[in-house]
Amino acid sequence: MLHAVKELKSIGLEEKFEVQLCGADSPGHDYKALAFELGVSHLVHFLPFQKDMKQFYNDAHCFLLPSRGEGLSNALLEAMAMELPVIATRVSGTPEVVTDGKDGILIPPDSVGALVEKMKQIILYSELRQILGRNARFRVTS
């Protein structure tokens, strides 16, 4: 995701988005240092674990879950219920919940290019955000 942010910055979109990450670094990974190294630390806000994510979902325009492995993510379901479009990797239980192009966007794991392209679409096309968000909410609440 941080590499995707760098690419989006390089094509001139840095004024149109920011990323908020909630939670702790994975063992052996220093994402703050990587963001600094990539020159995107001003676009990425690292926040501690949050018990109540409702305000974050309300303020967001999209939910990213570019995991290499995932069970069935509660955060994904919460974001969809809050009518957020989601971009997630096609791993484990995620494709059972997200129908690509209908109520979210699925990308291959470890594909920076796919993540860049889909983030770009979400950033630039508000109608796409709205359609995916509405369909996401319908999917998890019906």
Side-chain angles (χ1 to χ4, degrees):
M1 190 271 305
L2 294 174
H3 291 279
V5 169
K6 179 183 176 185
E7 291 298 317
L8 291 167
K9 176 186 169 193
S10 74
I11 60 173
L13 292 177
E14 77 178 291
E15 298 297 323
K16 297 189 178 284
F17 77 98
E18 69 178 22
V19 175
Q20 293 187 350
L21 297 174
C22 296
D25 281 344
S26 298
H29 293 63
D30 186 346
Y31 294 114
K32 288 180 187 176
L34 180 58
F36 181 78
E37 178 184 316
L38 294 172
V40 298
S41 55
H42 64 292
L43 295 171
V44 183
H45 304 278
F46 293 90
L47 305 167
F49 173 80
Q50 306 291 313
K51 280 189 173 186
D52 183 7
M53 291 292 296
K54 188 174 182 179
Q55 191 59 50
F56 289 95
Y57 296 139
N58 281 333
D59 294 341
H61 295 281
C62 182
F63 178 80
L64 302 175
L65 189 66
S67 301
R68 290 185 176 111
E70 192 72 49
L72 181 55
S73 169
N74 283 336
L76 174 71
L77 297 173
E78 291 169 354
M80 291 175 75
M82 294 295 293
E83 211 166 295
L84 281 173
V86 299
I87 301 173
T89 46
R90 192 177 276 110
V91 296
S92 303
T94 302
E96 295 173 28
V97 177
V98 177
T99 304
D100 186 36
K102 181 178 179 186
D103 48 34
I105 297 171
L106 294 174
I107 60 171
D110 293 315
S111 178
V112 173
L115 184 55
V116 168
E117 185 55 37
K118 299 310 180 180
M119 286 176 72
K120 183 174 145 185
Q121 289 176 4
I122 292 294
I123 290 166
L124 295 177
Y125 302 109
S126 62
E127 187 174 323
L128 176 62
R129 284 194 309 269
Q130 292 168 0
I131 291 168
L132 291 174
R134 277 195 304 270
N135 290 345
R137 180 172 172 77
F138 181 78
R139 168 82 173 159
V140 297
T141 60
S142 60

